[in-house]
Amino acid sequence: MSRPKKALVTGITGQDGAYLAQFLLRKGYEVVGLVRRSSSPSLERLARLGVQNDVKLVEGDLGDQYSIINAVQAEQPAEFYNLAAQSFVPESWKTPVQTGEFTGLGVTRCLEAIRCVNPEIRFYQASSSEMYGKVLEVPQSEETPFYPRSPYGVAKVYGYWITVNYRESYGLHSSNGILFNHESPLRGHEFITRKVTSAVARIALGLQQELRLGNLEARRDWGFAGDYVEAMWLMLQQDEPDDFVISTNETHTVRELVEVAFRRVGITDWEQHVVIDPRFYRPAEVDLLIGDATKARTRLGWSPKVDFHGLVEMMVDEDIAWETERMQLAIHSDRLAA
Ligand code: NAP
Ligand code: F7E
């Protein structure tokens, strides 16, 4: 019997890392996750998908070249998925140097590890639609020039080009997935979709009154993370490395997102609950993102399964279930304490 393929995944504790780990395990892979040292690493997302005991964790940091070489040397994976990054756009104006260090230079450290240890390892880089920023074309495809609008977007442009460069300089099988926004019940609470769906759940349950937001007119092309990790894997199964846009080819405003989420819990006068707060506006905004994933559809045979309404409703429903469970736990522990 042949040995299972092994994949090394950075960012395994994040949203995409959890879904990718689950996807690869179902395909029969051995999954190794690179995690940075912490007194208590957060395995909550892996646990919510029921896979926390099925992945092996090794210590490493995108800021530390030696730790990545060490992990690659010890594990000898067939595939390397680089999902780790400082990924929250507003944070990148507060910590531009650190964002450049991890989100940008971190990619070179991964590629260097592959080049030094085993250039046959296939590499996936988590590139982003934020690279299009102040868009020069609508919709955006693999041919659209980049114009990033945040230190995060700038760092991702660096990561994109170094991935192309190692492919061209050293013949590595290194590919960029240019992923548009993708969300899920595991999304971090600071991102707009989860911020809205968790607040809507709490408002519906009487736990919160208002929701403070920034620009309601910004548009995004939102898909489901569970669908997008399949595209990452497909890229590494191709004979030749390449770059692919992954998107739904639909765009919606933040306002629509808010309306759909409140409607799910039967609230139509949502304006009563929403407060516009200038703190959530950005120094430079990305106004209109809409992807053209024709190349992924035709070459990879990939298409998204969950649409915008399905996604928002799934997230609201899971947040209601989650908040209800927390309330019940709190009541139970109060009773025990009494
Ligand atoms: P996420 O939930 O924010 O997860 C980020 C992951 O990176 C976490 O596991 C985090 O670990 C890890 N990390 C951060 N700095 C690190 C470091 N110095 N060393 C090692 N690990 C580090 O992000 P996501 O939404 O899953 O996104 C995955 C990747 O896709 C990111 O590169 C993101 O920029 C990119 N991307 C995301 C989207 C999207 O819409 N979700 C779209 C395009 C591209 P800790 O648990 O230790 O913090
Ligand atoms: O913002 C607007 C905000 O923070 C979406 C990351 O995964 O996707 C993500 O980056 C939009 C922006 O995601 C609030 O101005 C309004 O226009 O959910 P977000 P993002 O910045 O698009 C890309 C593809 C990535 O690569 C990133 O890693 O929503 N917005 N009011 C708000 N956004 C937030 N966060 N909070 C608000 O209150």
Side-chain angles (χ1 to χ4, degrees), residues 5-9 20 23-24 29-30 32 76-82 114 120-124 173 232-238:
K5 251 189 186 178
K6 192 187 275 189
L8 179 65
V9 180
L20 180 64
F23 177 88
L24 293 172
Y29 277 69
E30 259 180 61
V32 180
Q76 297 287 336
E79 297 171 9
F80 186 133
Y81 295 85
N82 180 35
I114 290 175
E120 294 303 312
I121 298 169
R122 295 185 173 197
F123 180 73
Y124 172 85
H173 193 295
M232 300 174 185
W233 174 77
L234 283 168
M235 283 177 221
L236 296 204
Q237 310 318 304
Q238 304 308 299

Side-chain angles (χ1 to χ4, degrees), residues 11-17 34-36 42 45 60-63 82-87 102-103 126-129 152 156 179-183 187-188 191:
I12 199 161
T13 55
Q15 171 191 256
D16 291 7
L34 185 99
V35 290
R36 39 182 177 173
S42 170
R45 291 184 174 102
D61 194 305
L62 281 198
N82 180 35
L83 308 185
Q86 189 303 98
S87 76
F102 298 153
T103 306
S127 285
S128 165
S129 53
Y152 170 81
K156 282 287 181 189
L179 269 56
F180 282 61
N181 298 53
H182 46 280
E183 320 292 316
R187 187 60 143 152
F191 298 94

